[in-house]
Each structure stands twice: as structure tokens, then as C-alpha cells.
Amino acid sequence: MRVAKFGGGCLRNSTDFLRVVEILKRERSEPTVIVVSAIFGVTDVLHNGTRFALNSEVSIPLTINNLKTRHYEIIEATITDLARRNSLQRAIDEKIQRLERLLYGVAYTGEVTESVSVLILSQGERLSATILSGILEDNGMPSVPLESENIGLQTDDQFENATANLAVIQSNLQQCLLPLIKQDIIPVITGFYGCNEAGKPTSFGRNGSDYSAAVIARAMNVDTLDIWKNVSGFHTTDPKITDNALPIALLSYQEVAELSYFGAKILHPRTVEPLRGSAIEIRIRNIHAYAGCCTIIKHQGQYEADVIKSIACNSNISVLKVHGAGVGYKPGIIGEIGQRLFIANVNIYSVITSQTCINLLIDRRDSSRSISALTSLVGGVIAGIDVRDDVALIAVVGEGLLTTKGLAARVFSAVAESGVNVEMFSAGASEVAYYFIVQRDDMEPAIQAVHRTFFEQSATT
Ligand code: ASP
Ligand code: MG
């Protein structure tokens, strides 16, 4: 059995939907559970629609018409059976009407709770699952659309960054999906969100349907998780940074976790989390190159001759610096900082400390909020706090990197030879990655230099 996830980039228009159906026809011999994102751009429309509605109701008809037109167009261009087309349009109308009411609710109250916000954002997946399932049926493949809360995709109460309750989901999903699969009915499940114990929708964050698909794959204990994209899988670095970036055939869960967390935009950073401890193989496949190469991700790592597999980067980070002569000695100081940032809803990516300075890697959007959260700590052991917004993080990733002699020297010599200064680095914290911080303008030259050393033959000979 397999889970196949189709992201918004694979669901842009009617041609894309028909392409997805062709793929599923070709691979029909294997029982498949489908997970979908919203149609491309729809979650953004819903997000902006909510923001506009908070100020005034005038934008609501525009939001609604935009969504109606896009979904109707797809139905009209793909569904041949007239009765089916009508009933699908009615199903879409009903959902869009509910959305419209929700948006007026937001406009009249001038408020939106976290759970209402998720309810609004999740409409995109509900619409696309309904449509894809209808198109499959129209092509002679029995199918049923399923919404997360109706199949018991239970999570904790973190409305915008929920964590799946795997044990509960496993029992709910097996009960719900196995009878369908036995009857050769293809379930099409909404990605991106689940629900808490009380049944309120909770989301896995933007681009979270990769994580949904992984949760469902684990719960159903499938052999393979196919994640379909409109690009080919992981590369030795972002192809926008160098034309010489090469596709990667094989990665481990851990390598993918590091690469995704630190900037590679291929998968949601939490995708491998529910798969740990399983042997489920993830395949990143390109919808535009059916038989072409893809990246396979296995639970176990494999050493490559030159160890480094890929270089990821993130230019949207800041370094929050907490200075004080005794910060390395004072017990509880990191706990106190962490607690305050937690209350301010700031996520810490990583911490690099010395005796006189604690450096916290955070998202740049959180930098002023972090300073406000910590200012009252200044005085006593903390002498001052400042933030560096002009930096970028580079992560060099590969199984075996910690135990390979001379590797760090090669990475940092390459960076030094390109004239770039490394402001901070961390090695040893992860078994498969080094991280370092450079000035933002130096990020691309530094990556190009490391890439030349490890992946471009002419530079190493
Ligand atoms: N549709 C959601 C988003 O755009 C989830 C996803 O695409 O994975 O963030
Ligand atoms: Mg998406």
C-alpha cells in the first residue's frame, strides 16, 4: 500500500488534475490513499480573505468569486458526466457558502479565533479533495473524499502548529480506510489540518500537508510515501544559487530533516517526524517527469564518497545575542530566556553559547518581539541584548560528516578562500550537519565555493 500526496504546485488547473488522474491510472495496481493540498494559491486567497474581512466586508464577494471561478473552471474542464458535474458543483457551492458565512462572521465581529482561522484556511483542502475525488470517479475509479475531522485525524491543541496523536490516528484511520481499500475505493484525504480532541480543526502550519501525508502513511503502515511536486527532488544546493546544482538520488530521514529545517524548500521540515522508527520509503516525484529521476528517502543513511550531500541555507534568520560576563555560569539563564520566548510565541531554531554570550537563532519576523520579551532581563547577569538581522545561515549536510577527518577544514577553507568571513559556527550538535552564519550578502558566494569544492569536478582536480 502507498500514500500519494499531491501539493498545490501539482494542482494548478484542469490540465494538472487530469495529469494526476493519469498517474493514478498507471499505478492503479497498488492500493493508494491520496492526500491533497489546496489548489495552488488558494490558501493564500483564504489567508488574505480573512485579513481583509477583519477590516471590512466589502472584500468578501471578491474572495468568494475568485474561489468559485477557479474551482468551477476545473470541474467544467474535467468532468464529462453531466449529472456528476452538477452534483459536484452543488458540493462545491455548499462549501463555499459555508466559507462565505464564516467570513461575514469575521467581518461582523471584527475578530477571528485561532480555530476559526484554521476552519477558514482548511476550506481549500476540502474543495480540492472533493474535486479530485469527483474526477477520479468520472474516470472510472471509485473514490471518496474524506475530511480530516471525519476520519479522526486527532492532534494536540496547538492550532497553528499541531502535532498528530499517532496512536489514536492509527486506530481511527485503519478502521475507516481499510474497508474502503478492500472495496477498491480510493480515499482522497484533506491535507494540512487535523482536529483536537474536541473536534476543532487544528493546522500543521503552512505547507503542512507533507506532514499530514507522513502521519497517514505511518498510521496505515504503508511501504511507500510518494510526494508529488512540480519540481524534481532535492539538489546538492538550491539550483537558483548555482547552475551546477545536481539532483540527489538518495537521502536519509536525518539528512532530510536537517536540510528541510534549515532551508531546503522541498519538504515541510516536520515531514520525517512521524516516520521515525519505521522503514517507510519517501519518494519525491516530479509530476512533469513521470519516469524521471526522483529523490528517495530511506530511514537509514548511506555514506557517499565525499560525505557532503547538500548545502541548504536560510536568509530569513536573525541571531539574538544575550551578553553578560557570567551567562555561562549562572544556572537557569537559558531556561528563563527559553520560557520568555515561548510565552512570546517565538521559536528558537538553535542555540550557540559561550561564557559571555548566548546566541539564539530565530526567525527574522520574530526579532523585535524577542527583544521586547527579554528586555526586562537586562541588569544583573545580563548586560545587554542585541539582534543581528543582516545574517544568513548555511547548513552543510551529509551522513558520516562528524566522523570524517578533515572535512570541516575543507568546508571552511573553501569559504575562506572565497573571501567570506564565518561569524559563528556549530559542529557536533547534529550528527549529519554543520551550521554556520555569514553576512547575508556573503551567503551565495560562500555556498558556491563549498559547492565547487565538493560537487564540481573541475574545481577539485
Ligand atoms: N495548502 C496549505 C498551504 O498552502 C498546505 C499545503 O500546501 O501543504 O500552506
Ligand atoms: Mg502548498
Side-chain angles (χ1 to χ4, degrees):
M1 199 193 307
R2 140 187 86 149
V3 166
K5 182 252 164 176
F6 297 92
C10 306
L11 303 172
R12 288 170 184 255
N13 48 37
S14 54
T15 319
D16 277 354
F17 271 85
L18 291 173
R19 193 178 288 121
V20 166
V21 171
E22 277 317 303
I23 288 172
L24 293 167
K25 261 189 201 161
R26 282 163 104 157
E27 305 194 348
R28 200 162 170 205
S29 55
E30 189 176 357
T32 303
V33 174
I34 297 175
V35 179
V36 283
S37 298
I39 291 173
F40 185 75
V42 162
T43 314
D44 289 331
V45 171
L46 293 164
H47 176 79
N48 293 332
T50 313
R51 271 196 316 131
F52 297 148
L54 270 171
N55 286 327
S56 126
E57 63 180 51
V58 295
S59 62
I60 298 174
L62 296 175
T63 307
I64 294 298
N65 284 337
N66 174 339
L67 294 174
K68 244 190 202 160
T69 314
R70 291 199 59 193
H71 290 86
Y72 266 38
E73 265 171 17
I74 293 170
I75 294 176
E76 268 152 35
T78 54
I79 306 283
T80 49
D81 181 281
L82 214 59
R84 180 173 293 115
R85 191 190 290 182
N86 287 338
S87 84
L88 208 52
Q89 269 169 357
R90 273 198 304 279
I92 296 301
D93 278 346
E94 249 173 55
K95 291 188 192 305
I96 291 189
Q97 193 181 56
R98 198 171 322 140
L99 168 69
E100 190 175 16
R101 289 182 181 151
L102 283 167
L103 288 174
Y104 276 109
V106 170
Y108 291 158
T109 57
E111 278 175 13
V112 58
T113 61
E114 279 180 315
S115 77
V116 169
S117 162
V118 175
L119 185 56
I120 292 174
L121 287 185
S122 65
Q123 298 302 319
E125 276 69 16
R126 298 171 200 264
L127 292 166
S128 64
T130 305
I131 291 187
L132 180 58
S133 181
I135 304 176
L136 287 173
E137 289 253 323
D138 201 57
N139 280 268
M141 287 185 273
S143 169
V144 57
L146 297 170
E147 298 189 333
S148 305
E149 54 274 78
N150 297 336
I151 55 170
L153 218 130
Q154 205 190 88
T155 72
D156 62 8
D157 287 318
Q158 292 270 321
F159 283 100
E160 277 154 20
N161 185 19
T163 297
N165 185 342
L166 268 173
V168 173
I169 293 174
Q170 182 156 15
S171 118
N172 290 347
L173 255 56
Q174 301 238 349
Q175 210 177 331
C176 204
L177 301 184
L178 287 178
L180 296 172
I181 290 164
K182 275 207 190 95
Q183 295 170 70
D184 209 14
I185 297 173
I186 305 176
V188 181
I189 303 177
T190 49
F192 180 48
Y193 76 96
C195 64
N196 66 7
E197 223 181 318
K200 296 239 186 264
T202 53
S203 97
F204 301 123
R206 292 306 305 271
N207 300 315
S209 44
D210 291 338
Y211 176 80
S212 306
V215 166
I216 293 166
R218 184 66 193 263
M220 296 305 289
N221 195 22
V222 298
D223 307 301
T224 321
L225 165 59
D226 279 343
I227 298 199
W228 288 92
K229 299 263 152 192
N230 62 350
V231 292
S232 29
F234 283 86
H235 282 74
T236 48
T237 193
D238 185 343
K240 288 193 207 92
I241 293 180
T242 165
D243 292 340
N244 299 326
L246 303 164
I248 307 175
L250 189 65
L251 286 169
S252 67
Y253 283 179
Q254 216 181 336
E255 287 171 331
V256 161
E258 297 286 357
L259 287 171
S260 307
Y261 198 58
F262 285 109
K265 300 262 166 6
I266 307 289
L267 280 185
H268 185 276
R270 295 183 65 192
T271 308
V272 296
E273 203 180 289
L275 301 178
R276 283 193 201 283
S278 81
I280 297 171
E281 196 171 286
I282 311 175
R283 297 188 294 189
I284 314 285
R285 302 177 72 182
N286 184 350
I287 198 109
H288 299 294
Y290 178 75
C293 66
C294 63
T295 305
I296 293 183
I297 302 156
K298 294 193 177 191
H299 69 292
Q300 236 177 1
Q302 181 170 303
Y303 289 16
E304 290 279 315
D306 219 6
V307 183
I308 305 294
K309 300 243 183 45
S310 184
I311 311 156
C313 57
N314 185 342
S315 54
N316 297 316
I317 55 136
S318 288
V319 178
L320 186 67
K321 294 169 121 15
V322 181
H323 304 276
V327 291
Y329 284 98
K330 168 120 168 103
I333 193 99
I334 292 189
E336 175 77 34
I337 293 169
Q339 183 63 19
R340 288 184 183 226
L341 292 179
F342 170 70
I343 291 167
N345 201 18
V346 172
N347 179 43
I348 304 168
Y349 288 133
S350 185
V351 184
I352 303 178
T353 62
S354 73
Q355 296 307 311
T356 56
C357 186
I358 299 170
N359 299 278
L360 302 136
L361 250 56
I362 55 170
D363 195 290
R364 182 155 321 121
R365 281 175 307 193
D366 294 339
S367 75
S368 54
R369 206 145 34 95
S370 306
I371 295 264
S372 323
L374 299 181
T375 328
S376 63
L377 285 178
V378 176
V381 77
I382 293 181
I385 296 170
D386 61 64
V387 73
R388 290 281 312 275
D389 283 333
D390 57 344
V391 291
L393 174 89
I394 299 175
V396 175
V397 176
E399 289 281 345
L401 150 160
L402 261 200
T403 49
T404 308
K405 285 194 190 118
L407 203 70
R410 279 174 72 203
V411 171
F412 293 111
S413 309
V415 177
E417 276 160 28
S418 70
V420 169
N421 180 40
V422 173
E423 303 211 354
M424 208 182 292
F425 71 89
S426 163
S430 158
E431 283 179 17
V432 303
Y434 300 140
Y435 315 133
F436 55 101
I437 307 278
V438 297
Q439 285 268 357
R440 188 141 25 112
D441 293 342
D442 287 340
M443 182 185 87
E444 293 204 2
I447 292 175
Q448 286 155 356
V450 179
H451 197 271
R452 273 196 301 278
T453 299
F454 286 91
F455 302 106
E456 296 168 43
Q457 211 53 38
S458 57
T460 53
T461 49

